[in-house]
Every structure is written in C-alpha cells, then in structure tokens.
Amino acid sequence: MLDFSKFTVDNLAVKSLKDLIAEITFKSDNWDAIVTHVPGAQNGKKVGFIGKMAPVGTPSAGCSPTYVAGNISGAEKTWVMGQWEVPLTLCYTDLIGTIAQYTLKKGTEIGDLTGGEYYTEILVPKLAEAMNDMIWRLGWFGNTAAENVTDGGVITNTVAANLFTTLDGFWKRLFAIATTTPTQKTAIAANAEATLALQKSKLLDSGVARGIFDKLILDADPMIAGQPGAGIFATKSLADALYYDLQHANLLMQPWQTLFAGFDVSSYNGVSIYRVAEWDIMIQQFENNGTTYNLPHRAVYTFPGNLLLGTDGTDPVTDVDFFFDRKDRSNYIYATGTMGTMVLHDNMVQVAY
C-alpha cells in the first residue's frame, strides 16, 4: 500500500492519483545485460558444456602415422532452484480518508479495486518495479543461509532475512569460487576498514583503484577478454574511484556512456568497465551493520554468457494473479515462480572484494 499519511486531503482538491508526482526511485529493466536468462530451468536438471579439443599437431612420421584419440574436455553443472512467491492482500477501507478514496468505485462495487485508477496508476506499476527489484535482490544477493547482523549474518537488522533465503545468488557463488581458488580473488583493502567514512576514503587514496583494476585484468584468465560482452562489472563506488584516481593522475579514461538507468559503460586499458549502481543501493540498504557496509566495493571480470539466471517460465516473472473476492470483499495479488543462478565456467571469473 502507498503510505497515504505522507499526503494531505485538502478540501477535495486532489481528486486524481495522476496529480501525484511519483517519488524518484531507481529502476532497471535491463538486468539481463549482465547475465544470461535461461528459461525452462528445472531443479536438478543438468547443464552440460564442452571445452576445447586437446592440442594437436606433432612432427610428421611420413608413412604409417600413429593415430591417437582426440580429447575434447567436457563438464556439467546442476540447477539448484528456489521458489519465490508474492502473496499480497488489500481492502478498499484502507483507502477511505485518503486522496485515493476518489478512485473507488461506487455502490456495491466499492470494494473491487481491479481496473480502477488506483490499480492502474499506482498498484500495477509499483508492483512491477518491486518484482524487478526482487530479481536483482535474489539473483545477486540471495543466500539460503542469510541471517541478520544480530544473528551472525550480514543482513541489516531492520530488514527481514527471509527476503534473501529463497536461493543462492551470484555473489555467494562468486565468493565461493574466489575462496576455493585464491588466485581468482583480487583483494580490496578498503572493504575491511572500521567505519563507513574510511571504507570510502581509503579507496580514494592515490593509485588504489588503478591497482585494483590492473590486478583484476592481469590476474584474470586471458580467455575472458575474447568472450562476447566481456568486461569488469563493478559497484558504482569502485568504478567512480577508478575515474577519480585517473583524473588526479592526469590520465585519461573514456567518458561514461549510459546504457540504461543506473548502468553505464566506459573503458580502461582496452577493457569495458560497467558501473552497476543497483549493487551499491542494495548493499547500503540490505548489508549495513550500523558501522560499516558489507564489502561495499565489488567487481567481477567475466561475460554475460558465463552468468546464468534460470527460471521455470519463459519470463523471469510469471503472470500476476490479481482478483477480487466477493465473499470477503478483499483484493488479492499472487505470483510465484522458481529461480536459480549458475556460474557456468568457474575459471572464467576474476572477483574483486
């Protein structure tokens, strides 16, 4: 429900919700610019892929050469899916005494909000925005073992931990890869500082950001660079620090080009740098212990085809069921689906945090 306490009913002056100016909120419909959507994914379903053929080409033996088997590497991974749901209810009486009461139907149909102005102008677009945010939150920050700070986890105490426990997201998988293979981790010392101010200021010390990006590029598997869409996907804090560092060293970096809201691209040493503001927003909102943020500066050098987001349907979000129950005179919203993440090639990521 919209918090109507923020608005004043002024002598029936505001009669249309269209008169309200929506609060500016971050919204990105193009989350799939970073990952690849895989429709029809099922829990336990195998994903097989093949690698390169073993090297060939040895000195000629002339007649009667010795034939050997040509080996092609292969591997498979398994989808681990989680089921999410959105169960909401609302009653027309919640709108009585607010500016939205003017959108209600008349007479016996007053309780039916379907098709009305409140439904079309506020509820539907805001629900779509919230479900888009859900994909970002679960897809990147999901953790089946998530807990609040007071319980030993990293989730902000004022945020419900079960908003993250549906599935394991990409960050959890990337951190696991970097832990298993330390050479695939690029450390960011500023993340370990004791205050929010120091976490920010230490990243801006001369040469720090350049050093992080240089190491990301130099330590990464060289095959990454040749993949379609390859680049370093970084939090806005880290990408901005690089830009700041280069400017103060009188070095050049291409200006940022906006691909869509909150997602910009530039280039550094021939590598595309993507600035993903959505990550910063979610870290600050959801992983704040009151003193510091949890790993506020992050990046991964990879390509979209290596990060798979699987869903059971053809679209990440299935149809939403919105209906009015004539017996209890309430309106109900329900949607459900399954989602899972997969890093296809573990060796094709270099993670900074």
Side-chain angles (χ1 to χ4, degrees):
M1 290 290 295
L2 180 64
D3 184 1
F4 288 105
S5 65
K6 305 299 183 183
F7 307 100
T8 301
V9 179
D10 184 15
N11 195 27
L12 302 183
V14 180
K15 295 186 178 181
S16 172
L17 295 179
K18 294 179 181 178
D19 293 340
L20 297 179
I21 300 177
E23 178 183 1
I24 297 176
T25 57
F26 180 91
K27 185 174 184 291
S28 170
D29 292 323
N30 297 284
W31 50 266
D32 54 348
I34 309 177
V35 305
T36 297
H37 176 224
V38 180
Q42 299 176 14
N43 192 54
K45 185 177 181 180
K46 305 292 185 181
V47 177
F49 52 94
I50 60 174
K52 300 180 70 174
M53 178 178 282
V56 297
T58 55
S60 174
C63 297
S64 301
T66 300
Y67 288 88
V68 297
N71 295 319
I72 301 176
S73 62
E76 68 178 13
K77 288 195 171 183
T78 305
W79 281 112
V80 179
M81 309 289 287
Q83 184 164 6
W84 55 267
E85 68 175 0
V86 178
L88 303 173
T89 183
L90 59 158
C91 179
Y92 80 96
T93 56
D94 297 327
L95 306 183
I96 299 297
T98 75
I99 57 174
Q101 73 182 37
Y102 309 114
T103 70
L104 296 176
K105 298 176 182 178
K106 307 302 180 183
T108 303
E109 298 301 311
I110 189 173
D112 185 2
L113 301 181
T114 61
E117 188 181 354
Y118 178 78
Y119 171 80
T120 57
E121 298 297 330
I122 287 187
L123 186 58
V124 170
K126 287 301 178 182
L127 179 60
E129 184 178 81
M131 295 182 75
N132 181 70
D133 290 344
M134 177 191 73
I135 299 173
W136 275 97
R137 186 185 71 248
L138 292 177
W140 280 98
F141 294 86
N143 185 346
T144 53
E147 292 183 320
N148 290 112
V149 173
T150 53
D151 297 322
V154 300
I155 304 301
T156 308
N157 284 329
T158 55
V159 176
N162 65 0
L163 287 172
F164 301 86
T165 55
T166 298
L167 60 110
D168 288 330
F170 288 115
W171 283 124
K172 183 175 180 179
R173 298 192 186 282
L174 292 170
F175 293 155
I177 292 171
T179 300
T180 301
T181 311
T183 56
Q184 289 182 247
K185 175 183 176 181
T186 300
I188 301 179
N191 280 333
E193 294 295 337
T195 66
L196 293 173
L198 287 173
Q199 283 182 320
K200 180 178 181 180
S201 65
K202 290 299 183 181
L203 187 67
L204 299 178
D205 287 348
S206 179
V208 169
R210 277 178 288 159
I212 293 169
F213 280 88
D214 287 343
K215 193 166 178 57
L216 261 173
I217 296 169
L218 294 172
D219 290 350
D221 189 316
M223 291 181 62
I224 296 175
Q227 303 302 316
I232 296 176
F233 303 91
T235 56
K236 184 177 184 297
S237 64
L238 185 57
D240 285 347
L242 174 63
Y243 203 81
Y244 174 88
D245 196 11
L246 291 170
Q247 282 186 320
H248 282 255
N250 293 317
L251 299 173
L252 297 177
M253 180 176 174
Q254 290 185 0
W256 293 105
Q257 294 182 343
T258 300
L259 300 183
F260 53 85
F263 193 88
D264 309 316
V265 64
S266 184
S267 178
Y268 173 70
N269 281 352
V271 178
S272 296
I273 308 296
Y274 296 90
R275 183 168 59 180
V276 189
E278 179 76 355
W279 291 343
D280 300 74
I281 293 170
M282 292 196 168
I283 291 170
Q284 293 172 21
Q285 180 179 359
F286 299 134
E287 298 189 359
N288 180 359
N289 67 12
T291 303
T292 59
Y293 296 132
N294 177 51
L295 306 175
H297 318 303
R298 310 179 186 183
V300 57
Y301 184 18
T302 188
F303 55 99
N306 199 34
L307 303 178
L308 307 184
L309 180 76
T311 62
D312 55 349
T314 55
D315 295 313
V317 176
T318 57
D319 292 335
V320 179
D321 191 9
F322 187 103
F323 62 94
F324 172 63
D325 189 297
R326 295 188 174 278
K327 181 178 180 181
D328 64 17
R329 316 305 295 174
S330 292
N331 298 268
Y332 295 93
I333 301 171
Y334 187 82
T336 187
T338 61
M339 186 187 306
T341 62
M342 179 183 295
V343 179
L344 193 59
H345 303 279
D346 288 1
N347 64 302
M348 300 283 272
V349 299
Q350 187 70 26
V351 192
Y353 61 94

